[in-house]
Amino acid sequence: MLDTAQTDETLLEVNNIEVIYNHVILVLKGVSLKVPRGGITALLGGNGAGKSTTLKAISGLLASERGEVTKGSILYRGATTQDRSPNDLVRGGVIQVMEGRHCFEHLTVEENLMTGAYTRSAAEAKQGLEMVYNYFPRLRERRKSQAGYTSGGEQQMCAIGRALMSKPETVLLDEPSMGLAPQLVEEIFGIVKSLNEQEGVSFLLAEQNTNVALRYAHYGYILESGRVVMDGVASELRENPDVKEFYLGVGDEGRKSFRDVRSYRRRKRWLS
Amino acid sequence: MPIWLLNTLEVSINGLMTGVLYSLVALGFVLIFKSSGVFNYAQGVMALFAAQSLVGIQTGQVPFAHLINAITGLHVSRFGFDVPSILAIILTTLVMVVFAWVVVRVIMVRLVNQEPIILFMATIGLAYFMEGFGDLMWGAELKSLDVGLPSGGSFWIEDVTAQWAREGETYWGMYVDTLDIWATVIAVFLVAGLTIFAQYTKAGTAMRAVADDHQAALSVGISLNRIWIMVWSIAGFVALVAGIMWGAKSGVQFSLSLIALKALPVLMLGGFTSIPGAIVGGLIIGMGEKLFEFAIGAPFLGGATENWFAYVLALLFLVFRPQGLFGDKIIERV
């Protein structure tokens, strides 16, 4: 992939944050990352690594889940996002597409999209609707159906489209590939790519599907048990032997089994 | 028409109109339940409080008079002027909006994402607090409420229907209370207005979005607090309308808050999440209990079936159609 859209300007900066849920459960133990304007930045890692928590810490959704950023800082365009409500952040250009899509099931697809324009004027909403339907022609076909009855792929499109309605500068996209067929995953990532290139939307993408994410992203961070363990330009990460072995499933000597004790030890050492 | 048919018709009509009043109370429940997942036990007390405030403002009562007198040793009770009904209704609506704001700020915000049972308990607490607060503010004595709505039997209907009986039979015509007719008209407008609001306005769509998924609503930048304050205000206004109707019928006193109990079976029948359900449920229960009493209860069961008929009907519904007539189907993709 060509790095045409990415610039040097840092939009979002996360500095060594620590997140605690319910005052006791330590989930993030010092995560730092940067999202440049116009880039697609991937946040990779397995289940429970803290990808979603990182995104929620940025978008301000943590508070409603009894989570709290206890250390470090999150800066958006140089200003701290702490104590800003999600509503305020959406107005400021940061919006999150939550894991598991979270469409409003009983609303039609179009009504779903319109809720995304809650912070915008009616004229902007109309304009946004046209733009979203251009990128997701399938949504135009299903616009009158109840979102709860559309397919998983359509719901994911609906969720992304809904976020686009707020005219965001940065979209925090959580696990868009979840539960979708490989072909659909490619389709959705393709649209993300073109949104990035044509509309100039920056993305911070949390994803378990390392293979796909690294093909579309410019830069990647790998998260393990609440820490960033590695980061680098996407194309370099893809060639890194450890990433290859532990995330892409191909080692130097071809595919490996996790039953292999040596590999397991090496993995443990690398993580701790 | 034969007399028995006329009598049945009269009972049905009166039942339907009582049903409208049940619907009004149920509507308040549905609004709050839909948008915040809270079963608001305090809805009945809200109606009582609204009615108390309305009467208090109308008659120029000094709020917290007893408290003021006890602390300062004064003897204030009234300002000495009456407030016109329309103005009093507007002021009471404002009181309910302030109340909504306080409830959301003090209770709801702190209990976001808690178990439904905890929220339910909180509303029980709220109900008892408000009951005492209302008495403290306006006094606990029985008050009569009159906002200028006509009441008493309609002679016109009586005259017209008296002609419907067959030749030679004595029939005095139907008794239909004009207050009930007004209540029906107002309820129809209220429901139409609410439906249009929920379906076609931005705030209404946001309200339905919040009802579907709090987190997702937050994530797209909808301010939950603002929506909740809005919904509690609307529910407060609906409570005020219900309070006016019931208060005009039976006076403003504690038992007014018990109409909430009548709304429960209506909700089970109509579904907790459906505005049309609340209306149709109310009508069915209102008409059902009056007809049952008239046809079966009074002649065969010794009467007083109205108290339990609604609950039996609701139980049947719980067994055979738990989501009610119009409740949201739980959409589950497999």
Side-chain angles (χ1 to χ4, degrees):
Chain A
M1 300 286 153
L2 291 171
D3 294 8
T4 45
Q6 193 172 2
T7 64
D8 290 336
E9 187 195 343
T10 304
L11 258 187
L12 172 73
E13 203 178 332
V14 176
N15 294 319
N16 205 22
I17 55 165
E18 190 179 276
V19 168
I20 294 184
Y21 279 105
N22 268 330
H23 301 293
V24 280
I25 308 160
L26 180 65
V27 179
L28 296 188
K29 304 159 187 167
V31 170
S32 302
L33 55 87
K34 275 181 184 174
V35 176
R37 182 185 288 278
I40 300 179
T41 308
L43 194 56
L44 306 165
N47 269 336
K51 305 184 299 291
S52 295
T53 304
T54 309
L55 295 197
K56 283 176 188 158
I58 299 167
S59 66
L61 288 177
L62 262 191
S64 68
E65 294 190 341
R66 321 205 120 221
E68 202 185 348
V69 180
T70 47
K71 273 184 200 154
S73 65
I74 301 170
L75 303 175
Y76 190 75
R77 287 203 270 176
T80 179
T81 65
Q82 215 116 20
D83 304 322
R84 285 177 78 181
S85 66
N87 168 277
D88 191 30
L89 283 163
V90 170
R91 280 174 209 276
V94 190
I95 192 163
Q96 177 169 2
V97 179
M98 290 203 294
E99 181 180 359
R101 314 187 254 277
H102 281 270
C103 289
F104 302 119
E105 292 180 339
H106 296 98
L107 272 61
T108 65
V109 168
E110 187 155 307
E111 282 173 339
N112 261 280
L113 295 176
M114 290 309 282
T115 58
Y118 182 75
T119 52
R120 302 286 155 193
S121 71
E124 281 175 311
K126 217 175 156 194
Q127 220 180 340
L129 207 56
E130 248 343 278
M131 192 259 285
V132 170
Y133 283 149
N134 279 339
Y135 280 96
F136 301 99
R138 265 213 249 179
L139 292 184
R140 198 196 294 272
E141 288 164 32
R142 309 288 325 250
R143 54 200 276 241
K144 295 287 172 208
S145 343
Q146 257 187 26
Y149 289 119
T150 58
S151 74
E154 285 159 349
Q155 287 190 11
Q156 186 62 62
M157 293 177 184
C158 182
I160 297 176
R162 187 174 66 186
L164 290 174
M165 292 290 287
S166 71
K167 277 195 151 186
E169 197 171 43
T170 307
V171 174
L172 312 170
L173 191 52
D174 199 352
E175 205 87 24
S177 74
M178 196 176 93
L180 298 183
Q183 205 183 348
L184 260 171
V185 173
E186 292 292 338
E187 188 182 337
I188 283 175
F189 271 84
I191 295 171
V192 166
K193 187 85 191 162
S194 50
L195 279 167
N196 171 252
E197 281 166 358
Q198 288 157 29
E199 307 290 329
V201 181
S202 313
F203 282 90
L204 177 58
L205 180 78
E207 187 55 83
Q208 288 202 36
N209 191 334
T210 313
N211 180 21
V212 181
L214 283 182
R215 268 194 289 119
Y216 285 92
H218 302 118
Y219 200 86
Y221 290 86
I222 296 178
L223 219 56
E224 281 281 353
S225 334
R227 282 194 186 91
V228 174
V229 290
M230 189 186 270
D231 68 297
V233 177
S235 52
E236 284 170 18
L237 279 182
R238 259 189 302 161
E239 296 310 318
N240 182 298
D242 283 333
V243 175
K244 262 185 165 172
E245 183 165 345
F246 301 134
Y247 287 98
L248 301 175
V250 274
D252 291 335
E253 308 108 54
R255 281 184 176 274
K256 250 190 188 164
S257 163
F258 271 90
R259 266 180 287 177
D260 189 328
V261 178
R262 268 181 52 222
S263 159
Y264 174 72
R265 287 218 181 107
R266 189 169 140 224
R267 180 181 161 86
K268 262 185 86 175
R269 198 165 53 238
W270 187 60
L271 293 178
S272 52
Chain B
M1 267 189 267
I3 298 265
W4 66 267
L5 187 61
L6 281 166
N7 282 339
T8 311
L9 200 63
E10 181 181 352
V11 171
S12 311
I13 289 174
N14 280 306
L16 281 175
M17 293 188 169
T18 319
V20 169
L21 294 181
Y22 294 160
S23 305
L24 274 181
V25 185
L27 196 61
F29 278 102
V30 169
L31 282 168
I32 292 181
F33 187 78
K34 233 175 122 72
S35 67
S36 51
V38 178
F39 181 81
N40 179 24
Y41 183 80
Q43 188 67 33
V45 185
M46 276 163 72
L48 172 65
F49 179 74
Q52 278 178 325
S53 303
L54 179 65
V55 175
I57 292 171
Q58 236 186 342
T59 56
Q61 252 185 293
V62 178
F64 304 108
H66 289 294
L67 198 64
I68 293 170
N69 293 347
I71 293 171
T72 60
L74 295 171
H75 292 283
V76 291
S77 62
R78 277 170 208 282
F79 288 118
F81 53 81
D82 282 358
V83 178
S85 298
I86 291 293
L87 188 60
I89 289 173
I90 292 169
L91 287 174
T92 311
T93 309
L94 284 180
V95 169
M96 296 314 281
V97 171
V98 171
F99 164 76
W101 187 84
V102 172
V103 166
V104 172
R105 283 278 146 176
V106 176
I107 302 176
M108 297 292 293
V109 167
R110 271 150 237 278
L111 296 180
V112 172
N113 269 11
Q114 291 284 11
E115 300 286 323
I117 187 72
I118 293 177
L119 289 159
F120 176 60
M121 296 303 278
T123 66
I124 292 184
L126 177 68
Y128 284 101
F129 171 76
M130 271 192 86
E131 206 183 295
F133 186 75
D135 285 352
L136 187 70
M137 193 165 171
W138 302 113
E141 71 278 5
L142 170 68
K143 303 179 192 70
S144 67
L145 186 152
D146 180 16
V147 288
L149 287 176
S151 60
S154 160
F155 292 113
W156 182 78
I157 291 174
E158 227 172 87
D159 289 342
V160 170
T161 52
Q163 322 271 319
W164 293 357
R166 272 191 293 222
E167 293 283 325
E169 281 175 310
T170 36
Y171 184 67
W172 305 106
M174 287 182 196
Y175 178 86
V176 179
D177 199 321
T178 39
L179 182 69
D180 285 342
I181 298 175
W182 274 96
T184 309
V185 172
I186 290 169
V188 166
F189 274 104
L190 194 66
V191 171
L194 278 177
T195 311
I196 290 169
F197 171 76
Q199 292 295 328
Y200 302 108
T201 66
K202 189 168 159 181
T205 312
M207 183 175 93
R208 286 185 295 140
V210 171
D212 248 21
D213 190 332
H214 289 185
Q215 276 257 304
L218 259 181
S219 82
V220 295
I222 293 172
S223 160
L224 283 189
N225 286 356
R226 202 179 302 165
I227 297 292
W228 281 340
I229 290 174
M230 186 181 83
V231 170
W232 278 79
S233 301
I234 298 173
F237 181 70
V238 172
L240 170 64
V241 174
I244 292 175
M245 299 307 169
W246 284 95
K249 263 179 162 297
S250 54
V252 178
Q253 25 83 35
F254 170 73
S255 72
L256 188 66
S257 66
L258 299 180
I259 50 172
L261 295 179
K262 276 288 184 196
L264 266 179
V266 171
L267 292 170
M268 288 176 204
L269 201 72
F272 279 83
T273 50
S274 162
I275 292 178
I279 307 306
V280 177
L283 294 179
I284 292 177
I285 295 249
M287 190 164 95
E289 67 179 19
K290 292 280 188 297
L291 274 180
F292 184 79
E293 171 80 13
F294 172 70
I296 299 166
F300 303 114
L301 300 174
T305 57
E306 275 177 63
N307 291 327
W308 52 260
F309 174 78
Y311 285 91
V312 172
L313 202 61
L315 271 178
L316 287 176
F317 261 80
L318 277 184
V319 172
F320 294 107
R321 203 181 152 81
Q323 79 268 36
L325 281 175
F326 297 88
D328 279 333
K329 258 190 253 161
I330 297 148
I331 300 178
E332 213 168 320
R333 293 184 60 252
V334 187

